[in-house]
Amino acid sequence: MSDFTLEDYESQYQRALGRISMYLILYREKNKLTQSELAKRMKVSQEMISKIESGNYNISLAKVFKYMSYIERPVSDLFSDTADTTDRKTIQFELKKDNQFPLIIE
């Protein structure tokens, strides 16, 4: 039996969603893509990319695998304390007050 509480799972979930957002932004920047261009390649709407990047969308497990596969990141990076988050020179996190998603700011 796990010692994780419901709050622990919620915290991990929020962190994973924040990392998906970060990885999509980093992928777009690295490949010099707009949200529209990435959306077209991933066969989703630009609005969907925008919502994910801003932390305003709860992603299904199937979509997590799809998106992480597309940007060539292992799903385990979403939960790892040692995941590479240094792709960008300055990554800072600020908690968004309403839903606690980490946002990338410059």
Side-chain angles (χ1 to χ4, degrees), residues 30-67:
K30 181 179 176 183
N31 293 285
K32 299 179 180 9
L33 298 171
T34 65
Q35 286 183 344
S36 294
E37 291 167 334
L38 179 61
K40 187 174 183 178
R41 290 180 183 194
M42 293 179 71
K43 297 182 172 59
V44 298
S45 69
Q46 181 273 327
E47 181 182 34
M48 174 73 70
I49 298 296
S50 176
K51 285 181 177 182
I52 294 168
E53 288 185 1
S54 65
N56 292 320
Y57 185 75
N58 290 329
I59 305 169
S60 71
L61 188 56
K63 288 182 181 176
V64 166
F65 280 93
K66 175 184 174 183
Y67 298 159

Side-chain angles (χ1 to χ4, degrees), residues 56-98:
N56 292 320
Y57 185 75
N58 290 329
I59 305 169
S60 71
L61 188 56
K63 288 182 181 176
V64 166
F65 280 93
K66 175 184 174 183
Y67 298 159
M68 292 299 284
S69 174
Y70 185 85
I71 63 173
E72 300 175 346
R73 295 295 282 229
V75 173
S76 61
D77 277 3
L78 299 177
F79 305 100
S80 171
D81 289 333
T82 59
D84 179 17
T85 57
T86 58
D87 295 348
R88 187 162 149 185
K89 196 172 185 181
T90 18
I91 297 178
Q92 298 174 351
F93 294 96
E94 177 182 286
L95 294 179
K96 190 175 174 185
K97 293 180 180 38
D98 55 325

